[in-house]
Amino acid sequence: MTPTATDPTRTPEAGPAEPGPADRAPATGPAEPGTAVGRAPGLGHGVPGPVGCLPPEAGPERSGAVGRRVGPLLLGVRHHGPGSARGVRAALEAERPAAVLVEGPAEADALVALAGDPEMRPPVALLAHAVDDPGRAAFWPMAEFSPEWVAIRWALDHGAAVRFVDLPAAHTLAAADPTWSDGEDEVTGSGLRIDPVAELARAAGYEDAERWWEDVVELRGDADPTAPFEALAEAMGALRETYGDGGHPRDLVREAYMRLQLRAARKEYGDSVAVVCGAWHVPALTRRTTVAADKALLKGLPRAKAELTWVPWTHRRLARRSGYGAGIDAPGWYGHLFAAPDRPVERWMTKVARLLRAEDHPVSPAHVIEAVRLAETLAALRGRPLPGLDETTDAVRAVLCEGSDVPLDLVRDRLVVGDVLGEVPAAAPAVPLQRDLTCRQRTLRLKPEAQERELGLDLRKETDGERSRLLHRLRLLGVHWGEPAAGRAGTGTFRETWRLRWEPELHVQVAEAGVWGTTVEAAATAKAESRALAATALTDITALAEQCLLAGLADALPVVMRALADRAALDTDVAHLAQALPALARSLRYGDVRGTGTAALGEVAAGLAERICVGLPPACAGLDTDAAAQMRDHLDAVHTAIALLQDHLDAPPSPDRTGAALAPDHAGVPAAPDHAGAPVIQDHPGAPATPDHAGVPTAPDHAGAPAIQDHLDGLTAPNHPGAPPAPDHLDGSTSPDRPDAPRDAARGPGGGLVDRWGGVLRRVAGRERIPGVLRGRAVRLLLDEGRIGDGEAALLMSRALSAGTPPADAAAWIDGFVGGASGGGLLLVHDERLLGLVDAWLTSVPDAAFVDVLPLLRRTFSTYEKGVRRTLGELVARGPDHHRAAGYATSPPGFAPTPDPERADAVLPLLHLVLGREVTP
């Protein structure tokens, strides 16, 4: 058996080895006999001539009438073949050797005893990695149905010696870099790499190698347990004569080492030795060579200090080649054949029925009986000894899945391949970081699983908070056991959703991360500090600061914050600052929930926001289309970030900000108290309510009827993101973004920052040199925040869509105002005046220019939901005269410029149910 992740060592299926030197008597030690010459039914069919005739001096010997074997027992197998595994077990039971030699890295002898540990459950793999470079690693996987595993367990159970006889991992890791590619092997200078099983299948007249192997090995039984191995050795000998090394010249070195180990075992145990190796290597082991010749091949090989251990493996990984040529397509099916040699079809159909019933598919015992009959009938029609995977799959599709491939894909994924994950005992060697991770997994009840699962975390709970920190620390270390996923319910920062899936390669990633420390926390801290000192981009440092807060790395934050402050002071690119600010704002929010101190981070974030406010308008001027689109994304991100910063800057300092008292309905953001000390309940994490001069929260502009307003005055006033408390300057009040705005005195530092940002948006909206997409977006943000009224928004739109504006610029302004995921479609639905302006402009665009602006308009309106597009179409189709024709004085119900008291009163019973108190008009 050969490693999965290194090129110089391949499986027998991937190609033959280099033939050994010319046959001659060894200088020392007894001669090595060959394997028996024989033929199992079908194995030699179609191979011309005397298949694999060995010279008499290398052939096997049988003594007396009983036909006892003379020489070592050579069992050439196919890796991960259940038929080979059953044959190995039967042959070992019949021969009872004193020593069993197994293909595998020689250093693994010290680990073989762990295979008998009750806590060891295959599939597992031997992992070898270079001490100075853990990323250089290789795997030797074994499943329950692997012949090597069966041989090891038999030897341990019967007291026989077990040795690994393949080339040491020290040479394997030094020979070439490991690869994890699933692609086919490249062509070497000596020719194509062949698949011996495919060649034998082709010679026997089969197009499918797997089907041929099932017919002649997996689905047949032989009275003589050694007969299949003898026939297979004969066939492999013929292939070696035809194809030589088959594109694997390095196998010559491996086979030389195997011969040396076989000689040493025979000196100690005589002929009571069994060798379990890839069938391709058997002809090389029967060749007569000198010890000196074999040692000469091994002389001067590069070496690397290696460490080995057992690690869990998965059936899914067995099904992928990943540099390991013995990868099989159906490990779950092969495992079933090995575990259920009697009535395998009936037992398989029962498994399938159990799976489908668990997934709410109607499957009855009658379905199972009919599926078994159909599979047996198909096997008879196709001339097969028993139903194979093809016949059972066809029967499952036709009977149990009723012709549908959807449930059949489930069967393939869960049963044919499977999600079995092995286990290794705690006594197995491991790097200190792996041991700490295993301990943390047990403490937090996070069991590694091969099947992907979704994990929801509530950060207000201590255990879930520790789980979150562990997963974030592992991601920072490059161990991607879990990936964040969008939560199903709510957007609160106290909730996280992860997708977890354990892959064998993660053991290598843990070993690589072990250079940073012996515990997960220490390693993550050391790596974060190193990345902070090496980072050159401001966005990289801000992302790192966010990761540190998520991972709870308090010791790394001072180093990260110093690097962040230094880099922020030197960076003058507004785009870079705009990219960095959102991550800082999110970090402040996470700090509130996770109880992490964020004072220094808040100062840096506030400084970045001030610099963005100063430099953004000039940076927006003269941008081309692509640059303007990128700046629009920055504009949206900065707008959201400044709202979050306002929450942080306005919040009073608290000695305990663990987030334990946060209510889940408020997105995990603490409510800012008003001037009287009473908390203000928010319904939007980015726009907290602002108190008026008397310290009483101000109601939104569109609060509804006076009766509802009077009732809510005694409770709390939510601040709707589309209706902040202060009116715009069109109705006579002072503009809130001006320094002499009356409500500035009542605002904290966060409120002042928001006001300055409002002034920036006004300057962006009013400058002609700024692209239309940015001006339109700025107007939309001002309208959503209530800093301008509908009248001023309509005035700005009419100017942007005037006849003197080029159609392309006007279309870009519309895209900025109502495009993207900003809810612009609903805005047009509920404000027919704005919709009328867009409609009037669109109908006035000349025919020649309409073709140019159509792609942009189509992109803008195609982002709307289907219902919104349908409603807009209905509004446009009825025309401006529909109101008067329908008898409405000014507008249809629901679209009036002022609240309708009668319609608002109808809401009172619902408010009574929600608030739990009597509500009267």
Side-chain angles (χ1 to χ4, degrees), residues 193-361:
R193 296 179 175 181
I194 68 168
D195 180 353
V197 175
E199 294 298 324
L200 293 178
R202 189 178 299 111
Y206 282 75
E207 295 182 358
D208 187 348
E210 293 295 328
R211 182 175 178 180
W212 173 82
W213 182 262
E214 281 190 344
D215 285 352
V216 301
V217 177
E218 305 300 342
L219 304 180
R220 288 185 180 273
D222 293 279
D224 184 358
T226 62
F229 299 106
E230 294 169 354
L232 192 58
E234 178 186 0
M236 291 298 171
L239 289 178
R240 295 293 293 261
E241 291 178 0
T242 302
Y243 293 102
D245 64 16
H248 296 280
R250 292 193 183 101
D251 276 358
L252 172 65
V253 179
R254 296 176 55 208
E255 291 164 348
Y257 188 86
M258 291 182 190
R259 287 193 292 267
L260 291 176
Q261 297 303 304
L262 179 57
R263 289 191 183 99
R266 293 187 67 183
K267 286 183 179 180
E268 184 175 355
Y269 299 100
D271 288 341
S272 185
V273 176
V275 181
V276 180
C277 65
W280 188 257
H281 302 299
V282 171
L285 297 182
T286 64
R287 296 185 182 278
R288 299 195 176 194
T289 62
T290 64
V291 175
D294 288 340
K295 288 185 176 179
L297 292 174
L298 301 173
K299 185 177 181 180
L301 290 180
R303 294 182 62 89
K305 187 176 180 181
E307 292 182 351
L308 278 78
T309 187
W310 290 102
V311 296
W313 203 253
T314 67
H315 273 184
R316 197 171 300 277
R317 291 298 301 169
L318 287 173
R320 296 172 58 186
R321 295 201 172 263
S322 305
Y324 183 49
I328 56 178
D329 295 329
W333 166 253
Y334 276 3
H336 170 77
L337 291 180
F338 181 75
D342 61 314
R343 308 187 68 149
V345 179
E346 291 86 345
R347 297 179 185 274
W348 179 258
M349 293 300 179
T350 303
K351 282 186 177 180
V352 174
R354 186 183 300 115
L355 172 64
L356 294 178
R357 287 172 66 90
E359 297 294 331
D360 296 329
H361 290 276

Side-chain angles (χ1 to χ4, degrees), residues 625 629 632 636 772-777 780 801 808-822 824 838 841 855-864:
T625 303
R632 170 186 170 173
D636 288 339
V773 65
L774 297 177
R775 289 186 284 117
R777 190 63 189 149
R780 174 62 188 280
L801 304 183
D809 292 345
W813 196 97
I814 293 177
D815 183 42
F817 186 74
V818 297
S822 60
V838 175
W841 168 79
L856 179 58
L857 293 174
R858 178 175 295 172
R859 183 184 66 186
T860 300
F861 290 96
S862 64
T863 58
Y864 299 164

Side-chain angles (χ1 to χ4, degrees), residues 740-818:
D740 57 343
R743 63 174 178 167
D744 282 351
R747 283 185 174 269
L753 178 60
V754 171
D755 287 340
R756 285 190 291 277
W757 175 246
V760 172
L761 293 178
R762 283 181 173 276
R763 290 193 293 274
V764 171
R767 292 191 178 182
E768 295 298 330
R769 295 185 63 249
I770 293 179
V773 65
L774 297 177
R775 289 186 284 117
R777 190 63 189 149
V779 172
R780 174 62 188 280
L781 294 176
L782 289 170
L783 179 63
D784 286 349
E785 291 295 322
R787 297 185 176 276
I788 62 175
D790 294 344
E792 186 176 1
L795 178 61
L796 291 171
M797 177 181 282
S798 63
R799 291 176 180 174
L801 304 183
S802 62
T805 304
D809 292 345
W813 196 97
I814 293 177
D815 183 42
F817 186 74
V818 297

Side-chain angles (χ1 to χ4, degrees), residues 53-289:
C53 294
L54 303 177
E57 66 273 17
E61 298 180 6
R62 298 275 179 171
S63 61
V66 296
R68 289 183 57 83
R69 173 186 52 82
V70 177
L73 176 64
L74 302 182
L75 302 176
V77 301
R78 186 188 188 194
H79 300 305
H80 311 311
S84 294
R86 288 196 301 268
V88 165
R89 185 165 55 189
L92 294 178
E93 287 287 351
E95 299 291 338
R96 298 277 175 164
V100 178
L101 309 184
V102 179
E103 182 182 340
E107 301 98 329
D109 288 347
L111 303 175
V112 71
L114 291 173
D117 194 298
E119 296 182 3
M120 179 79 83
R121 296 184 179 89
V124 294
L126 286 168
L127 164 63
H129 65 85
V131 175
D132 57 346
D133 183 9
R136 297 170 64 86
F139 292 96
W140 287 260
M142 300 182 193
E144 184 181 9
F145 50 85
S146 298
E148 297 86 353
W149 180 259
V150 171
I152 292 173
R153 290 304 303 265
W154 183 93
L156 293 176
D157 293 341
H158 293 79
V162 184
R163 294 179 183 175
F164 288 97
V165 295
D166 203 351
L167 194 67
H171 298 307
T172 300
L173 297 176
D177 290 330
T179 62
W180 301 99
S181 171
D182 288 329
E184 295 296 328
D185 296 322
E186 296 179 357
V187 178
T188 63
S190 57
L192 289 172
R193 296 179 175 181
I194 68 168
D195 180 353
V197 175
E199 294 298 324
L200 293 178
R202 189 178 299 111
Y206 282 75
E207 295 182 358
D208 187 348
E210 293 295 328
R211 182 175 178 180
W212 173 82
W213 182 262
E214 281 190 344
D215 285 352
V216 301
V217 177
E218 305 300 342
L219 304 180
R220 288 185 180 273
D222 293 279
D224 184 358
T226 62
F229 299 106
E230 294 169 354
L232 192 58
E234 178 186 0
M236 291 298 171
L239 289 178
R240 295 293 293 261
E241 291 178 0
T242 302
Y243 293 102
D245 64 16
H248 296 280
R250 292 193 183 101
D251 276 358
L252 172 65
V253 179
R254 296 176 55 208
E255 291 164 348
Y257 188 86
M258 291 182 190
R259 287 193 292 267
L260 291 176
Q261 297 303 304
L262 179 57
R263 289 191 183 99
R266 293 187 67 183
K267 286 183 179 180
E268 184 175 355
Y269 299 100
D271 288 341
S272 185
V273 176
V275 181
V276 180
C277 65
W280 188 257
H281 302 299
V282 171
L285 297 182
T286 64
R287 296 185 182 278
R288 299 195 176 194
T289 62

Side-chain angles (χ1 to χ4, degrees), residues 498-847:
W498 292 80
R499 288 192 178 94
L500 303 181
R501 186 172 188 170
W502 188 266
E503 296 282 1
E505 291 87 345
L506 296 180
H507 289 280
V508 178
Q509 297 174 7
V510 172
E512 288 183 283
V515 300
W516 296 105
T518 57
T519 66
V520 176
E521 181 178 3
T525 298
K527 186 170 184 179
E529 293 175 349
S530 176
R531 286 178 55 184
L533 296 176
T536 57
L538 181 59
T539 53
D540 293 341
I541 305 179
T542 54
L544 180 61
E546 183 179 11
Q547 285 182 298
C548 290
L549 285 171
L550 292 171
L553 301 178
D555 293 339
L557 275 177
V559 178
V560 175
M561 293 310 304
R562 284 196 297 269
L564 177 59
D566 294 343
R567 186 62 193 171
L570 297 176
D571 203 324
T572 58
D573 192 321
V574 174
H576 292 170
L577 300 179
Q579 285 179 306
L581 184 62
L584 294 182
R586 289 193 304 268
S587 300
L588 290 171
R589 195 180 186 197
Y590 294 140
D592 289 338
V593 177
R594 298 168 183 268
T596 308
T598 55
L601 192 63
E603 294 178 1
V604 176
L608 287 182
E610 294 287 355
R611 295 172 60 189
I612 291 174
C613 289
V614 173
L616 184 63
C620 291
L623 297 178
D624 59 16
T625 303
D626 294 337
Q630 294 179 0
M631 187 60 73
R632 170 186 170 173
D633 295 336
H634 296 332
L635 196 67
D636 288 339
V638 171
H639 182 75
T640 303
I642 287 181
L644 295 178
L645 287 178
Q646 176 189 4
D647 294 344
H648 178 78
L649 296 176
D650 285 346
S654 174
D656 181 14
R657 302 181 66 179
T658 61
L662 297 179
D665 294 337
H666 302 140
V669 180
D674 63 8
H675 291 203
V680 177
I681 299 178
Q682 313 169 65
D683 73 338
H684 189 276
T690 304
D692 62 9
H693 300 286
V696 179
T698 305
D701 292 342
H702 306 290
I708 299 178
Q709 180 61 53
D710 294 339
H711 171 72
L712 295 179
D713 281 344
L715 301 173
T716 55
N719 182 17
H720 191 280
D728 59 75
H729 69 282
L730 293 179
D731 55 7
S733 63
T734 305
S735 176
D737 61 295
R738 297 177 182 173
D740 57 343
R743 63 174 178 167
D744 282 351
R747 283 185 174 269
L753 178 60
V754 171
D755 287 340
R756 285 190 291 277
W757 175 246
V760 172
L761 293 178
R762 283 181 173 276
R763 290 193 293 274
V764 171
R767 292 191 178 182
E768 295 298 330
R769 295 185 63 249
I770 293 179
V773 65
L774 297 177
R775 289 186 284 117
R777 190 63 189 149
V779 172
R780 174 62 188 280
L781 294 176
L782 289 170
L783 179 63
D784 286 349
E785 291 295 322
R787 297 185 176 276
I788 62 175
D790 294 344
E792 186 176 1
L795 178 61
L796 291 171
M797 177 181 282
S798 63
R799 291 176 180 174
L801 304 183
S802 62
T805 304
D809 292 345
W813 196 97
I814 293 177
D815 183 42
F817 186 74
V818 297
S822 60
L826 289 175
L827 179 65
L828 295 178
V829 167
H830 291 284
D831 195 329
E832 292 196 39
R833 179 169 46 173
L834 298 180
L835 177 60
L837 290 173
V838 175
D839 184 38
W841 168 79
L842 189 57
T843 56
S844 66
V845 175
D847 294 343

Side-chain angles (χ1 to χ4, degrees), residues 393-540:
T393 299
D394 291 343
V396 167
R397 178 192 289 109
V399 180
L400 302 183
C401 299
E402 298 180 346
S404 174
D405 283 340
V406 175
L408 185 64
D409 290 339
L410 178 67
V411 174
R412 288 195 181 106
D413 184 68
R414 299 280 187 87
L415 294 181
V416 177
V417 176
D419 287 312
V420 179
L421 176 64
E423 297 181 13
V424 299
V431 296
L433 182 62
Q434 179 66 61
R435 294 195 179 278
D436 180 67
L437 174 57
T438 303
C439 180
R440 297 294 298 163
Q441 288 171 335
R442 292 175 179 172
T443 301
L444 300 176
R445 298 187 297 278
L446 279 176
K447 183 179 180 181
E449 297 178 359
Q451 185 175 356
E452 183 178 287
R453 66 187 180 100
E454 193 171 274
L455 176 67
L457 300 178
D458 186 343
L459 303 182
R460 298 169 298 178
K461 299 178 180 179
E462 183 178 355
T463 300
D464 283 358
E466 289 295 328
R467 289 173 174 175
S468 173
R469 284 186 280 273
L470 174 64
L471 294 172
H472 281 294
R473 289 169 183 174
L474 291 176
R475 292 191 74 229
L476 195 149
L477 289 171
V479 181
H480 297 282
W481 175 24
E483 293 294 336
R488 293 183 177 178
T491 58
T493 56
F494 62 87
R495 289 196 179 277
E496 283 185 348
T497 304
W498 292 80
R499 288 192 178 94
L500 303 181
R501 186 172 188 170
W502 188 266
E503 296 282 1
E505 291 87 345
L506 296 180
H507 289 280
V508 178
Q509 297 174 7
V510 172
E512 288 183 283
V515 300
W516 296 105
T518 57
T519 66
V520 176
E521 181 178 3
T525 298
K527 186 170 184 179
E529 293 175 349
S530 176
R531 286 178 55 184
L533 296 176
T536 57
L538 181 59
T539 53
D540 293 341

